[in-house]
């Protein structure tokens, strides 16, 4: 049987992105689909930013079947440098004639010369450094804010006392520390959204939701 091909596609860095996005979108009122073949979007996990290359983007757009293509990547240490890297890759594609020098705060959405929509979102908010876990920090519910501040302090103190996680992963350490203190402790991040431990409807999350809806015509 031929493999199902979905014309609306999203490229992400890793498994956490792959699992979080459907839960996040469903919690914002859009039914994702009960089965993979019913999903409103096909998400491809690429195994890291370094694998979201010109060749991959070009191949996705040149299939002749892709109508909408999203790229969701982490800013890591510098959102501007990450944007320039993606921009340079995309501008090698003939159907993409122009991209702005800076990514809009609301995320990028353009129409290619071939009539496809392409969108780019740099986690957490297209401006600051960070990653998916930084974005998840925007979902801490109001009643959890005090413990969240304490979790941040504890994670940083642990780093000062010799914890071996990379400094650039401090946001990961903070969110997982906070999750370890919830009921039930140690939920995975997509489960934390699904079971309302995190609040995916906070105002700072809505920018991404609006970008997603606009890109995929939802």
């Amino acid at each position: 049987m031929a493999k199902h091909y979905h014309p609306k596609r999203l490229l992400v860095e890793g498994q956490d992105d792959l699992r979080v996005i459907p839960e996040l979108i469903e919690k914002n009122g859009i039914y994702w689909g009960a089965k993979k073949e019913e999903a409103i979007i096909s998400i491809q996990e690429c195994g890291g930013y370094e694998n979201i290359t010109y060749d991959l983007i070009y191949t996705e757009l040149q299939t002749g079947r892709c109508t909408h293509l999203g790229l969701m990547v982490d800013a890591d240490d510098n959102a501007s440098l990450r944007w320039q890297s993606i921009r340079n890759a995309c501008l090698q594609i003939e159907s993409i004639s122009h991209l702005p020098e800076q990514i809009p705060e609301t995320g990028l959405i353009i129409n290619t010369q071939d009539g496809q929509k392409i969108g780019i979102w740099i986690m957490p908010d297209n401006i600051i450094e960070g990653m998916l876990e930084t974005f998840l920090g925007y979902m801490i519910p109001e009643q959890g804010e005090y413990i969240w501040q304490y979790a941040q302090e504890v994670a940083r103190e642990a780093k000062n006392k010799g914890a071996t996680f990379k400094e650039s992963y401090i946001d990961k350490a903070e969110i997982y520390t906070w999750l370890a203190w919830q009921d039930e402790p140690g939920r995975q991040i997509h489960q934390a959204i699904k079971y309302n431990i995190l609040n995916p409807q906070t105002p700072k999350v809505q920018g991404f939701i609006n970008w997603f809806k606009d890109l995929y015509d939802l």
Side-chain angles (χ1 to χ4, degrees), residues 128-188:
I128 67 170
E129 65 184 47
M131 55 190 66
L132 175 67
E133 288 78 7
T134 316
F135 182 72
L136 295 173
Y138 299 161
M139 302 184 202
I140 302 295
E142 187 175 350
Q143 66 271 23
E145 190 64 34
Y146 180 77
I147 295 298
W148 171 237
Q149 292 174 8
Y150 185 51
Q152 292 175 301
E153 293 171 8
V154 167
R156 293 181 184 278
E157 183 64 18
K159 181 62 177 172
N160 292 337
K161 290 182 179 296
T164 57
F165 63 83
K166 297 177 183 177
E167 181 64 36
S168 60
Y169 283 2
I170 186 66
D171 292 348
K172 288 179 181 281
E174 291 171 357
I175 195 72
Y176 281 107
T177 299
W178 186 84
L179 287 172
W181 297 340
Q182 305 308 305
D183 184 20
E184 300 172 357
R187 292 275 195 186
Q188 295 185 47

Side-chain angles (χ1 to χ4, degrees), residues 61-212:
L61 291 174
Q62 295 304 311
T63 62
R65 295 183 291 172
C66 176
T67 58
H68 303 67
L69 180 64
L71 313 177
M72 190 187 90
V73 300
D74 291 338
D76 290 337
D77 295 332
N78 191 309
S80 181
L81 288 179
R82 183 53 44 93
W83 165 245
Q84 291 304 320
S85 173
I86 300 172
R87 181 177 184 270
N88 291 341
C90 288
L91 285 175
Q92 297 179 58
I93 299 170
E94 188 174 346
S95 63
I96 300 175
S97 59
H98 175 74
L99 291 174
E101 290 291 333
Q102 299 294 331
I103 187 170
E105 293 182 16
T106 53
L108 179 86
I109 299 175
I110 63 165
N111 292 301
T112 71
Q113 294 177 359
D114 294 331
Q116 298 156 305
K117 288 182 80 171
I118 184 169
I120 300 169
W121 185 276
I122 301 177
M123 283 289 175
D125 62 2
N126 301 302
I127 303 171
I128 67 170
E129 65 184 47
M131 55 190 66
L132 175 67
E133 288 78 7
T134 316
F135 182 72
L136 295 173
Y138 299 161
M139 302 184 202
I140 302 295
E142 187 175 350
Q143 66 271 23
E145 190 64 34
Y146 180 77
I147 295 298
W148 171 237
Q149 292 174 8
Y150 185 51
Q152 292 175 301
E153 293 171 8
V154 167
R156 293 181 184 278
E157 183 64 18
K159 181 62 177 172
N160 292 337
K161 290 182 179 296
T164 57
F165 63 83
K166 297 177 183 177
E167 181 64 36
S168 60
Y169 283 2
I170 186 66
D171 292 348
K172 288 179 181 281
E174 291 171 357
I175 195 72
Y176 281 107
T177 299
W178 186 84
L179 287 172
W181 297 340
Q182 305 308 305
D183 184 20
E184 300 172 357
R187 292 275 195 186
Q188 295 185 47
I189 51 180
H190 70 283
Q191 294 174 323
I193 296 173
K194 182 175 182 177
Y195 296 113
N196 301 312
I197 297 169
L198 292 169
N199 176 12
Q201 296 177 331
T202 59
K204 291 187 76 172
V205 173
Q206 293 311 302
F208 174 81
I209 299 299
N210 291 337
W211 170 84
F212 194 92

Side-chain angles (χ1 to χ4, degrees), residues 52-68:
I52 302 178
T53 61
Y54 155 77
D55 288 334
L56 177 60
I57 299 167
Y58 176 83
T59 299
E60 289 286 346
L61 291 174
Q62 295 304 311
T63 62
R65 295 183 291 172
C66 176
T67 58
H68 303 67

Side-chain angles (χ1 to χ4, degrees), residues 12-77:
V12 300
E13 291 191 26
Q15 284 290 323
D16 284 336
D17 308 284
L18 180 72
R19 297 186 183 107
V20 161
I21 295 303
E23 301 294 348
L24 176 61
I25 298 304
E26 283 224 330
K27 287 294 185 179
N28 279 276
I30 300 172
Y31 179 64
W32 187 267
K35 301 177 182 178
K36 184 177 180 179
E37 56 269 21
E38 297 172 355
I40 56 172
I41 310 294
S42 175
I43 304 179
Q44 179 179 339
E45 179 262 317
C46 298
Y49 172 73
E50 64 275 9
N51 295 319
I52 302 178
T53 61
Y54 155 77
D55 288 334
L56 177 60
I57 299 167
Y58 176 83
T59 299
E60 289 286 346
L61 291 174
Q62 295 304 311
T63 62
R65 295 183 291 172
C66 176
T67 58
H68 303 67
L69 180 64
L71 313 177
M72 190 187 90
V73 300
D74 291 338
D76 290 337
D77 295 332

